[in-house]
Amino acid sequence: MKLNDSLFEKMYEKNIYCGSFYKLTKIEKPNEFDLNIILKLPVNYNYIQCRNDMWFAIPIQLYNNLDYIKFEKDIYWRISFSLQENEILRKYGNIKTVIRQMKKFRDIQGLKNIASYYIENLFLNKETDINMDKISRTLLLFKMLEELYYACERQEIKWFWNEKYNLLSKIGKSNLYNISQRLKNIINDIKNNFMDQFIIAKYICKLD
């Protein structure tokens, strides 16, 4: 690209690899890889300070029902802190394994509307509320299933970096209600059969 475009050659800085594969939260075999091409914009970077020094501005279509958002959603750019998120998640030994289990649960239960990033934000939002590095993976998984149920019931997962932004706003209310009721039934089944050591596994493992 640098050979074909002189402007790109001047603005290009480096490539950054992001996404669940590089966060070690990917389940199954990787079928996609996130690559950010970093461009150096004509701004004064001395006025921008950020933990871990690097943040991204990415073009992504906006889905939200917030009144203060008035501009065209198709040309919206938002900030991204993927490196900082990975740094936070890396502090806890259990958390990435449990995130992968949550994603597996979502896939097996057919909850396709719940994006992987929504699940990761659930964990980020509960970082200081749950002793994630001191409880068992099984208990952490159950607690986060409850958190997913509560989030779908109130139809809101706050973005970790700006709580005014609701990540679930893209999903219809009826879909969220159906998901919450399904989660409620699963959680009640787990509670009623807690002596069964395979009770959670039956909702995560695909049975032939």
Side-chain angles (χ1 to χ4, degrees), residues 58-207:
I58 58 176
I60 187 169
Q61 192 176 46
L62 181 67
Y63 294 95
N64 214 315
N65 53 7
L66 299 179
D67 292 336
Y68 68 85
I69 296 176
K70 302 297 183 183
F71 39 79
E72 176 59 48
K73 66 180 181 180
D74 292 331
I75 59 173
Y76 180 73
W77 287 63
R78 73 163 176 85
I79 54 176
S80 172
F81 300 105
S82 57
L83 297 181
Q84 289 80 1
E85 290 166 0
N86 193 36
E87 180 182 323
I88 294 171
L89 296 178
R90 198 166 50 231
K91 293 192 303 183
Y92 304 99
N94 290 335
I95 193 170
K96 290 189 177 182
T97 298
V98 180
I99 289 175
R100 290 195 294 269
Q101 291 172 338
M102 286 280 289
K103 292 180 180 180
K104 187 69 174 179
F105 169 86
R106 172 206 58 195
D107 292 348
I108 294 298
Q109 298 305 316
L111 308 179
K112 296 181 179 180
N113 287 328
I114 306 299
S116 295
Y117 190 62
Y118 304 169
I119 293 174
E120 291 180 10
N121 262 261
L122 271 180
F123 283 80
L124 290 169
N125 288 333
K126 301 304 292 185
E127 176 204 6
T128 58
D129 297 339
I130 299 176
N131 294 323
M132 293 186 178
D133 57 342
K134 296 181 180 179
I135 63 177
S136 69
R137 293 177 182 176
T138 302
L139 180 56
L140 178 57
L141 175 60
F142 179 73
K143 284 183 174 293
M144 296 313 296
L145 286 175
E146 287 186 314
E147 289 300 324
L148 181 58
Y149 161 66
Y150 298 143
C152 292
E153 186 180 44
R154 65 177 180 266
Q155 303 187 347
E156 180 184 57
I157 294 178
K158 294 179 179 179
W159 188 33
F160 181 71
W161 304 103
N162 183 354
E163 63 179 16
K164 293 181 179 179
Y165 187 78
N166 177 17
L167 296 176
L168 295 184
S169 62
K170 182 181 176 181
I171 306 175
K173 292 183 178 180
S174 60
N175 284 340
L176 286 172
Y177 174 79
N178 292 335
I179 293 172
S180 68
Q181 293 306 300
R182 185 168 185 176
L183 289 170
K184 181 179 180 180
N185 292 335
I186 291 173
I187 290 170
N188 286 337
D189 185 36
I190 294 173
K191 287 180 177 179
N192 293 333
N193 297 279
F194 68 94
M195 294 298 292
D196 182 354
Q197 60 179 327
F198 300 111
I199 186 61
I200 296 181
K202 84 174 187 178
Y203 291 107
I204 297 178
C205 299
K206 187 175 183 180
L207 302 178

Side-chain angles (χ1 to χ4, degrees), residues 17-56:
Y17 297 93
C18 302
S20 58
F21 177 76
Y22 299 99
K23 289 181 180 178
L24 302 180
T25 59
K26 181 75 175 178
I27 61 172
E28 307 295 347
K29 294 181 180 179
N31 55 6
E32 62 180 9
F33 301 90
D34 295 336
L35 171 64
N36 288 346
I37 299 176
I38 308 303
L39 303 177
K40 191 168 185 178
L41 301 177
V43 299
N44 188 341
Y45 286 90
N46 293 327
Y47 290 106
I48 303 174
Q49 294 184 354
C50 180
R51 175 180 177 178
N52 205 355
D53 294 332
M54 185 174 293
W55 57 276
F56 307 116

